[in-house]
Structures are given as C-alpha cells and as structure tokens.
C-alpha cells in the first residue's frame, strides 16, 4: 500500500471518528434538554433495554424511578449509575420493587411510586414476557400470567397514576411494544394476543388524554438483540416451530438496546405518537396482512406445515 492510500484510509477513519463524536455530543445534549429534572419511571429497569434507558436518562439529569422484580439487582444498578456519573449533575435513583405477575401487589406499588416525587413526567412501559408454543401445549394459567405481565399490569399502573397526570395537565406515556402488537405469528398466540390488547388500550388512551396535554407514544420493534440468543423472560415450550422461518433471528434484523434507548429519547423529544422499528421484511408483512390477508394466512400456514414435515421425533 502506497503513502497516498495510507493517508486516504487514515482520513476516512478520522472523519468517521469525528462524525461519531459529534453524534455522541448531540445525543448527550438531547438527553439533557429532554429529561433534565423530569421524573422518569421505567417499569423494567433490569432488562437490557431498561439498563440502557436508565444510563442514558440518568446522565441526562432525570429523576429516575427504577422498577424491577429483584431488589438486590436494583440496588446494584443504582450504585453503578451513581458511581459512573457526576453527583453534581445527576440525582440518586429511587427504587421500587415491581412484579406485574403479582397483580395483588400493584396497588401498593402505585402508591409507593407516587410517593417518590409526588408526580410523574414520563412513564416507560417496557416490561414483557414472551411465550412460544402451540396453542394446545399452553395452559390457561400461563395465558393469565402473560396477560398480567403484558396487559393487565401496564394498564393497572397507568390507571393508578392517570389522575395525577390529568391534574398536572402534562406527561408522556411511552409503550415499548412488539411488532406482534400489529402482526401475528404461529406459535405465539398468547404473546401476540397480549401485545394486541395493550396496543389497542394505549391507542384508545392516546385520544382520550390528548386534551389534557398528555402524550401517548407506542414503539413497535421486531426484537431487541441481547448477548444471549434467548431472552430471560422467553419461555420456550415443546413445539413444532423449531425450524420455522419466522423464528430465525439474524442479528442484522434486530435492534440493539442502545439503538432502542436512543429512539425512545428521540420520541420523548419529538412527541411522535407511533414508531415502527422493523426491517423491510416485517414492514412488507404488515402491508400484505392489510391488503392481501388470504395470501398472508396461506404463507403462515405453509410455514407451519413445512415445520411439521421436518420435525424430529422425541427420544
């Protein structure tokens, strides 16, 4: 490689580094102007996305209320946030133990949340439980648990704090929802049903609270890439879907937790009501489902038949 080529490569690297640095500066400034001094609630701070949001909003000067089902892990997260930030520019996070699978505890949790700062400015609903199984293999008990975590839990919480938001005539409610709130897939009947239900609820809520100055945003994503192939909350039951094409998750098709957290921050700033974070295949499937439903159903059914044809018998 001659000297000219070397200088060309170095110039490209330098420009790329400069662009990335400027982007980081803009993002930090956006965080500070968007969430500074705002009371921000994250319903699942212990997930990979919750961790990214907590870090991004904490450095931006938000008054965080971090929720999660494990108190020790919440304390560890809060300590890490405070250690890695300037105490003169940030606020110590408030911690609240929250588990939507235990619905009896939610009313007490709502009271505890409102006692933290006396108000809420931003609510981020990112709690989720995934289930993959044929309908006949999934019990009604599991159906109820999934509905509690993905639907009844979020709507119970938002109902409990809604009067406070209405009285202040301000607030931003943000639902992080799967694309399966708009598009169904085989072997995910319960999960898709819960996501459709919560999507419909927040879509209705958006219209009802707009007159009070409250914004409701929904972000539908394909899947969030994590270090492990399967997320901790995904329960994979015995099914015939092992090789189905719609179950394949190439890393290039997902979004990283950092990308999602950045998108949530942009949404809080722009107040955009609906965001679809999906690759072209998923977007095309949405259009096919709407415009050519019979074709969509045929493709889904064929995928199930192909899976059954290659299924290996259990030992």
């Amino acid at each position: 490689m001659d000297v000219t080529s070397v200088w060309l490569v170095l110039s490209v690297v330098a420009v790329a580094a400069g662009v990335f640095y400027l982007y980081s500066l803009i993002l930090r400034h956006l965080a500070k102007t968007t969430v500074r001094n705002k009371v921000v609630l994250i319903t699942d701070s212990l997930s990979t996305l919750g961790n990214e949001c907590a870090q991004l909003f904490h450095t931006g000067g938000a008054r965080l209320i971090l929720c999660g089902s494990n108190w020790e892990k919440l304390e560890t997260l809060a300590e890490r946030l405070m250690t890695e930030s300037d105490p003169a520019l940030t606020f110590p996070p408030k911690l609240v133990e929250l588990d939507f699978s235990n619905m009896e505890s939610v009313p007490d949790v709502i009271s505890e949340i409102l006692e933290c700062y006396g108000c809420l400015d931003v609510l981020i609903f990112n709690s989720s439980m995934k289930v993959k199984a044929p309908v006949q293999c999934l019990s009604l008990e599991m159906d109820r648990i999934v509905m509690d975590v993905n639907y009844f839990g979020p709507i119970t919480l938002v109902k409990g704090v809604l009067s406070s938001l209405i009285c202040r005539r301000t607030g931003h409610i943000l639902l992080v929802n799967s694309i399966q709130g708009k598009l169904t897939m085989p072997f995910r009947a319960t999960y898709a049903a819960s996501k459709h239900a919560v999507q419909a609820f927040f879509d209705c809520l958006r219209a009802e609270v707009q007159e009070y100055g409250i914004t409701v945003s929904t972000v539908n994503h394909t899947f969030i890439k994590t270090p492990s192939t399967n997320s901790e909350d995904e329960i994979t039951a015995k099914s015939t879907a092992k090789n189905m094409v719609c179950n394949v998750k190439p890393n290039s098709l997902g979004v990283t937790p950092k990308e999602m957290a950045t998108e949530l921050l942009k949404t809080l700033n722009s107040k955009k009501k609906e965001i679809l974070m999906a690759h072209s295949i998923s977007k095309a499937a949405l259009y096919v489902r709407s415009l050519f439903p019979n074709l969509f159903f045929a493709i889904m059914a064929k995928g199930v038949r192909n899976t059954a044809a290659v299924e290996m018998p259990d030992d």
Side-chain angles (χ1 to χ4, degrees), residues 36-37 58-61 81-82 84-92:
R36 180 68 180 169
N37 294 320
H58 179 71
T59 56
L81 291 175
M82 290 186 289
E84 297 175 354
S85 61
D86 185 350
L89 301 175
T90 57
F91 300 94

Side-chain angles (χ1 to χ4, degrees), residues 6-315:
V6 172
W7 276 108
L8 180 61
V9 171
L10 291 176
S11 299
V12 171
V13 172
V15 170
V19 171
F20 179 78
Y21 177 73
L22 288 175
Y23 175 77
S24 300
L25 288 178
I26 293 172
L27 188 60
R28 283 199 293 268
H29 177 71
L30 180 63
K32 291 178 181 179
T33 57
T34 302
V35 300
R36 180 68 180 169
N37 294 320
K38 297 288 183 65
V39 179
V40 179
L41 170 75
I42 304 174
T43 61
D44 185 7
S45 305
L46 301 180
S47 64
T48 52
L49 174 58
N51 269 248
E52 286 290 342
C53 289
Q55 183 174 355
L56 182 61
F57 298 157
H58 179 71
T59 56
R63 302 173 187 263
L64 288 179
I65 302 177
L66 303 179
C67 300
S69 58
N70 187 298
W71 183 258
E72 289 73 21
K73 291 182 179 180
L74 283 174
E75 288 183 321
T76 301
L77 173 60
E79 290 173 3
R80 177 169 62 82
L81 291 175
M82 290 186 289
T83 300
E84 297 175 354
S85 61
D86 185 350
L89 301 175
T90 57
F91 300 94
K94 303 282 189 178
L95 308 180
V96 176
E97 193 168 351
L98 171 62
D99 183 0
F100 282 142
S101 64
N102 180 14
M103 287 298 297
E104 293 181 357
S105 66
V106 175
D108 291 334
V109 171
I110 293 173
S111 299
E112 187 177 352
I113 287 172
L114 292 174
E115 288 173 0
C116 287
Y117 289 104
C119 66
L120 290 169
D121 295 304
V122 177
L123 293 89
I124 298 177
F125 289 91
N126 67 311
S127 303
S128 183
M129 173 178 279
K130 298 179 183 178
V131 176
K132 180 176 68 175
V135 170
Q136 69 271 21
C137 295
L138 208 60
S139 67
L140 284 174
E141 180 182 2
M142 180 55 68
D143 290 341
R144 293 188 183 98
I145 293 174
V146 174
M147 289 300 294
D148 280 345
V149 174
N150 293 352
Y151 176 69
F152 286 111
I155 73 165
T156 301
L157 176 54
V158 79
K159 286 185 175 185
V161 303
L162 194 57
S163 59
S164 173
L165 299 177
I166 291 175
C167 287
R168 298 179 65 234
R169 303 188 74 84
T170 186
H172 198 148
I173 301 169
L174 203 155
L175 173 69
V176 179
N177 201 22
S178 168
I179 194 173
Q180 291 186 60
K182 293 178 171 292
L183 184 70
T184 59
M185 293 184 182
F187 307 108
R188 289 166 171 78
T190 298
Y191 178 69
S194 68
K195 292 300 182 178
H196 270 69
V198 76
Q199 180 81 31
F201 179 90
F202 279 84
D203 283 346
C204 293
L205 179 66
R206 178 188 296 116
E208 294 182 22
V209 300
Q210 182 171 331
E211 64 176 304
Y212 303 111
I214 300 170
T215 302
V216 176
S217 301
T218 57
V219 180
N220 296 86
H221 59 84
T222 47
F223 72 98
I224 299 176
K225 292 185 284 188
T226 58
S228 59
T229 303
N230 295 321
S231 59
E232 292 181 359
D233 64 352
E234 181 168 353
I235 303 172
T236 306
K238 182 178 176 183
S239 74
T240 61
K242 292 179 181 178
N243 300 307
M244 185 174 177
V245 64
C246 66
N247 290 346
V248 178
K249 294 181 177 181
N251 284 338
S252 61
L253 300 182
V255 296
T256 66
K258 188 172 184 178
E259 289 171 338
M260 177 62 74
T262 302
E263 186 62 38
L264 297 184
L265 180 63
K266 292 179 181 177
T267 302
L268 291 175
N269 183 63
S270 67
K271 298 187 182 300
K272 192 174 180 180
K273 294 178 174 59
E274 186 173 74
I275 299 91
L276 180 62
M277 295 189 71
H279 49 79
S280 56
I281 296 176
S282 296
K283 291 179 179 179
L286 283 172
Y287 288 119
V288 172
R289 171 65 180 86
S290 299
L291 301 175
F292 309 101
N294 289 335
L295 174 61
F296 177 82
F297 299 148
I299 293 172
M300 292 295 101
K302 183 174 177 57
V304 173
R305 290 194 298 271
N306 289 344
T307 299
V310 299
E311 181 187 15
M312 298 297 291
D314 293 332
D315 293 333

